[in-house]
Amino acid sequence: MAMLVALLQPPPAMAFDPTTLTAALFVQLGVLALVLPLMADGRGHKALRWGGAALAAQALAWGGLLWPEAVPGSVGMAGVDALSVAAWILALQAVQCWLGPRWGLPWLWALPAVAFVAHLAAPSPPWRAAGAALLPALVQGGLLLALWMPATLNAAAGHRRWRLTLSLPLALLALLNVVRGFMALDPSVDLPTLRGAHPVALGAAVLSGAAAATWALACLSAWRAETEAQWQAAAPADALTGLANRTALEARGAELLAHARRHGDTLGALSIEIDHLQQIQDRQGLEVGNACRVLLAECLQALARPGDAVARLGDEGFVVLLGRTRADGAQAFDRRLREALQAQAPERLGFFLDVSAGWSLLRPDDRQVDDLLQRADAGRQRAKAEGRGRLAAEPGLDAEADA
């Protein structure tokens, strides 16, 4: 009976204090730091290991707050700050592995180091305390910038989902740390240190846990996208449309190029992109965007001759290699493609669909099919610059050849 009464008693209130939160965060970060690299299974995935190392550095920083007696005083806090900067560098390396080069990214590498030196050289304790709060805010803000910086010409834009997942807690955490920094400069206000029980400090600890969890989710999401891209690159066909991918196109393109050289034939290329595809997806969703890709792929396959090669390159690019064709052949193919899209898109999609395209012809100095494709891509960019919904020739051809 006594046991039953004890079970029916309400549980004691959980202690919501900085020590408890810091200990929980230290354990959480440590576990995630161990688990994430193991997910890579020793098969590359450098970014996943960088992400785990960033969590490990952050776990050590929180451990320094949990056990201040290990290295007391200003030396210990400087070590905590240094670990936070190290976590930033490792996290930035992980992001760069996934997203590739970003405009302005080199400046962000130096930003925390400069702030760290300025923090150590602060003239008075209030300024040093403010720097201790503003330094992580700067780190978190810099990581947000890195996530959303425009991609360079050779980099992928990256999946938005995992970047959004990570951005919200990072933004809130950076804002709280800015508040802590300004409060530290006011002598009439108790400094909300991460070792104290101030609501701002408690909020920072809670949001740090949320940021750690979302960082792990973002790592796994980006790792999944990276793995899927590797699988698709290894497969001979694009999973969505069934068209040849880049690997298969390179093999088939080499055959067509060798055949054209051997027999003195011509070889043409069309580079095609659906107009305003990103806006279509933003308004109506990814499924509608994929339906646009599938419809274009079906039209291309239906119009291609047995000796031609049709492929999907990247997210939005489509390519057709036309054997034994000249300028009028590329223009005729483009005209038939537009007629097919105008006839089928309203019924299949509920709206009209148009494309921008560029074309090129084999030159005597072309060594590989990529030379041909690059000029076709330049023609496509020209078509987009001139208003989209049209065909444009590669640079150097007469303007009268444009459709």
Side-chain angles (χ1 to χ4, degrees):
M1 187 65 180
M3 182 178 296
L4 180 60
V5 172
L7 290 174
L8 293 177
Q9 293 295 323
M14 184 182 69
F16 195 69
D17 59 89
T19 303
T20 302
L21 289 174
T22 303
L25 187 56
F26 173 74
V27 173
Q28 177 188 5
L29 289 166
V31 171
L32 291 175
L34 290 174
V35 170
L36 279 182
L38 293 177
M39 297 291 293
D41 197 24
R43 295 175 296 184
H45 307 293
K46 292 181 180 179
L48 198 62
R49 291 198 288 269
W50 285 119
L55 290 172
Q58 199 61 47
L60 292 174
W62 281 96
L65 294 174
L66 187 61
W67 293 290
E69 65 276 3
V71 185
S74 59
V75 176
M77 290 308 300
V80 170
D81 294 337
L83 286 168
S84 297
V85 172
W88 145 262
I89 294 173
L90 294 167
L92 192 62
Q93 183 64 36
V95 170
Q96 184 169 327
C97 283
W98 279 312
L99 298 183
R102 321 297 286 179
W103 296 112
L105 189 61
W107 294 100
L108 292 181
W109 288 98
L111 200 58
V114 172
F116 180 57
V117 173
H119 161 54
L120 294 180
S124 62
W127 280 100
R128 282 194 291 274
L134 293 175
L135 178 61
L138 184 66
V139 166
Q140 291 139 10
L143 186 55
L144 282 171
L145 286 176
L147 288 171
W148 296 104
M149 277 183 170
T152 62
L153 295 178
N154 297 321
H159 289 262
R160 288 186 176 184
R161 184 176 301 173
W162 66 264
R163 290 188 287 163
L164 285 171
T165 300
L166 183 57
S167 294
L168 180 59
L170 272 178
L172 293 175
L173 189 56
L175 180 61
L176 268 184
N177 281 320
V178 169
V179 172
R180 288 179 57 240
F182 280 102
M183 291 179 69
L185 294 175
D186 188 351
S188 63
V189 178
D190 291 334
L191 175 63
T193 65
L194 295 177
R195 290 171 179 166
H198 195 283
V200 172
L202 293 175
V206 172
L207 282 175
S208 295
T214 53
W215 172 255
L217 291 174
C219 287
L220 293 175
S221 177
W223 171 52
R224 177 183 176 184
E226 178 187 3
T227 303
E228 288 177 351
Q230 291 175 351
W231 288 345
Q232 291 180 7
D238 173 60
L240 176 66
T241 63
L243 299 180
N245 62 9
R246 180 173 293 276
T247 302
L249 179 68
E250 290 177 353
R252 177 59 181 155
E255 295 176 358
L256 290 174
L257 183 62
H259 184 275
R261 296 291 193 208
R262 186 163 53 250
H263 297 282
D265 289 335
T266 56
L267 179 63
L270 279 168
S271 176
I272 304 164
E273 180 180 324
I274 298 173
D275 286 338
H276 307 296
L277 180 60
Q278 187 59 55
Q279 289 87 332
I280 293 173
Q281 291 186 161
D282 291 342
R283 290 194 305 266
Q284 305 191 43
L286 180 59
E287 290 185 0
V288 176
N290 284 338
C292 296
R293 296 179 177 92
V294 170
L295 175 59
L296 176 58
E298 291 176 356
C299 291
L300 291 174
Q301 287 179 310
L303 295 173
R305 300 168 299 177
D308 297 337
V310 184
R312 179 188 176 196
L313 304 184
D315 186 47
E316 300 184 11
F318 292 80
V319 166
V320 183
L321 294 179
L322 302 167
R324 296 183 178 181
T325 192
R326 296 187 182 275
D328 55 348
Q331 294 172 13
F333 187 99
D334 176 80
R335 183 171 57 253
R336 293 195 299 271
L337 173 62
R338 296 178 192 278
E339 291 172 353
L341 289 174
Q342 290 178 2
Q344 299 182 42
E347 181 179 353
R348 293 270 297 271
L349 304 174
F351 53 86
F352 286 100
L353 193 67
D354 209 345
V355 296
S356 297
W359 65 274
S360 61
L361 292 176
L362 183 66
R363 294 180 179 178
D365 57 346
D366 286 341
R367 295 183 176 274
Q368 53 189 359
V369 74
D370 273 349
D371 299 330
L372 189 64
L373 295 179
Q374 287 177 6
R375 297 198 305 276
D377 287 342
R380 174 174 53 82
Q381 294 297 332
R382 176 184 168 190
K384 292 170 63 177
E386 293 176 353
R388 299 179 184 269
R390 65 192 65 200
L391 173 70
E394 65 173 283
L397 292 183
D398 294 336
E400 291 79 11
D402 293 350

